[in-house]
Amino acid sequence: MTDVLAYLETRADAWKAMLREMVEIESPSEDAVAVTRMAEWVADRVAPYATVKFFAGGAYGNHLRCNFKLKGAPRDRRILAVGHCDTVWPQGTLATMPFREEAGRIFGPGIFDMKGGISYFLMALEAMRELAIKPCASISLLLVSDEEIGSLSSRPVTEAESRNASLALLLEPAVGPEGRLKTARKGTGMYRLKVTGRAAHSGIDFAAGASAVSELAHQIGAISGLTNLDRGITVNPGVVRGGTKGNVVAAEAELLGDIRFWKTSDGEAVVRKLQRLKPRDRRCRIEVEASLNRPALERTKAVQRAFQHARRIAAELGIGLQEASVGGASDGNFIGALGVTVLDGLGAVGDGAHAVNEHLIANAMPQRASLLAGLMSRPLPVS
Ligand SMILES: [Zn+2]
């Protein structure tokens, strides 16, 4: 892999120019036209050596899939790289957060999450083509438009595209300045609990009332009991609303929250327990809506094997690759749930996702893009 690394070290300026173009196409999730423009920029760039296809994103931008035409690519194996073109930054952010390089860091909206990761992938492909490195599988790239807002429109596309992949490479940011991969991600769920009681005047007729607020307070105690930090299960009571006036026994109250878990079966168990909650005051009624959004990305045997494979390639590049488990979910969660081996966190090395100090570390590109090239050219050893 040292030839790839040496080549990419000569390409730092070209890479920065490309990255700058990407960052300066602002692409907030809510702006379908802008996000599609970002995808079209990538499509134009790879068009000479890829077949590109757009999938309608409905209210969101279009999703893009590129199948690369690379010499000698085996047809019986498929590697899918996955990323997103949307960012959390509103249109106009560039005015206060321009693309700029300072003391070895490059700043800009969406640069870390995740335009940097897309740029690494494009550099890896460039190196493979320039050096005529044979891929170990057919290579595809999927870029979706709505990851930052839950992947509602892209989820079916992501699932259909990844189903026949032997390995999915997630271009999401790496963890920490040392660039750890993400070999486990928590799954997520959401819930809403609505309590209906009976209103009454708190002075004249207190006992005739059934307080939805008191009932909800009791339920919050029960719900907090579902959190199990040792197992990594959290059930967060996030938002509480209820009541109308200080002197009225509250007729209504509700609670919104989220559920996080390392094992999807733990998340499912929490959903069942929430659905079974019973009112302590029988005069109150409880309605629960609870469901899982993203299954957990579990650190399976196959994921561990893929990580060891990545670690060996990284060692040749001078990277002591480490791994991490993280609480946030990505599209890798959907893909892993299909039984596809996922390596996540292969994107930008830097910091400040969704924050004003969002940046990547400039000199990490040659190593990290080489790692991607290695994963696309060295077959995973069979166990
Ligand atoms: Zn991301």
Side-chain angles (χ1 to χ4, degrees):
M1 296 312 303
T2 48
D3 51 341
V4 176
L5 186 60
Y7 171 80
L8 288 170
E9 270 162 359
T10 69
R11 297 290 292 154
D13 289 344
W15 164 65
K16 283 176 200 170
M18 173 175 86
L19 185 60
R20 178 174 197 143
E21 281 187 46
M22 294 172 75
V23 170
E24 291 183 348
I25 302 172
E26 291 183 280
S27 51
S29 312
E30 298 75 16
D31 188 336
V33 173
V35 180
T36 298
R37 193 178 304 133
M38 182 66 239
E40 282 167 350
W41 181 92
V42 174
D44 287 347
R45 198 162 181 107
V46 301
Y49 55 96
T51 325
V52 301
K53 181 179 174 179
F54 284 95
F55 300 84
Y60 308 103
N62 294 336
H63 317 300
L64 168 69
R65 186 206 58 210
C66 314
N67 287 338
F68 297 98
K69 297 178 233 168
L70 298 169
K71 268 209 190 82
R75 285 164 180 272
D76 58 336
R77 272 196 304 268
R78 181 160 183 256
I79 290 180
L80 180 70
V82 180
H84 58 88
C85 283
D86 61 324
T87 79
V88 298
W89 298 100
Q91 209 60 254
T93 301
L94 275 175
T96 52
M97 233 173 102
F99 181 95
R100 70 189 164 92
E101 184 172 0
E102 202 180 289
R105 293 167 173 195
I106 311 178
F107 296 81
I111 199 164
F112 181 57
D113 188 6
M114 63 173 316
K115 290 179 180 176
I118 300 171
S119 76
Y120 290 179
F121 176 84
L122 295 174
M123 293 311 291
L125 265 191
E126 179 191 302
M128 287 174 72
R129 293 178 62 248
E130 284 298 318
L131 305 175
I133 290 171
K134 207 177 113 188
C136 63
S138 65
I139 307 289
S140 301
L141 170 69
L142 176 67
L143 294 177
V144 305
S145 65
D146 59 349
E147 197 271 348
E148 294 290 4
I149 46 175
S151 301
L152 281 177
S153 146
S154 61
R155 180 176 182 171
V157 176
T158 300
E159 290 178 337
E161 285 299 315
S162 52
R163 201 156 262 135
N164 67 349
S166 36
L167 179 63
L169 306 178
L170 273 284
L171 304 174
E172 288 287 340
V175 180
E178 66 285 359
R180 282 177 286 162
L181 300 195
K182 297 166 177 170
T183 50
R185 280 183 182 271
K186 277 191 173 178
T188 61
M190 289 175 292
Y191 70 93
R192 177 171 175 270
L193 188 143
K194 191 171 171 234
V195 181
T196 309
R198 191 182 299 161
H201 190 296
S202 68
I204 299 167
D205 225 6
F206 185 83
S211 170
V213 166
S214 297
E215 179 62 35
L216 182 58
H218 169 73
Q219 296 299 332
I220 289 173
I223 288 169
S224 297
L226 301 177
T227 287
N228 180 337
L229 293 178
D230 290 340
R231 283 185 75 86
I233 303 167
T234 60
V235 187
N236 181 46
V239 177
V240 168
R241 295 189 202 111
T244 50
K245 289 202 166 73
N247 63 355
V248 175
V249 175
E252 286 184 346
E254 73 170 351
L255 168 68
L256 309 175
D258 96 338
I259 311 164
R260 306 262 167 165
F261 43 88
W262 291 121
K263 291 178 93 56
T264 304
S265 56
D266 283 345
E268 288 163 346
V270 167
V271 166
R272 282 195 300 274
K273 285 176 188 161
L274 288 171
Q275 285 164 343
R276 273 193 230 122
L277 288 171
K278 292 273 176 305
R280 184 177 60 167
D281 181 339
R282 292 292 181 81
R283 296 171 302 164
C284 290
R285 198 172 77 238
I286 291 180
E287 294 160 79
V288 178
E289 290 165 24
S291 59
L292 300 191
N293 173 23
R294 295 187 210 233
L297 176 57
E298 298 182 19
R299 192 172 175 278
T300 60
K301 283 255 153 47
V303 169
Q304 293 172 43
R305 265 200 311 124
F307 174 72
Q308 291 309 328
H309 177 56
R311 214 163 68 113
R312 283 189 291 271
I313 296 168
E316 292 177 38
L317 299 163
I319 313 171
L321 196 64
Q322 300 166 51
E323 60 185 315
S325 302
V326 294
S330 81
D331 286 341
N333 292 57
F334 296 137
I335 300 171
L338 301 173
V340 176
T341 305
V342 173
L343 272 183
D344 200 339
L346 284 162
V349 177
D351 203 1
H354 305 189
V356 285
N357 68 330
E358 177 164 8
H359 67 270
L360 50 77
I361 296 167
N363 66 11
M365 183 282 286
Q367 282 181 322
R368 306 303 286 203
S370 298
L371 174 58
L372 283 170
L375 288 166
M376 292 191 281
S377 55
R378 297 268 182 89
L380 245 173
V382 272
S383 55

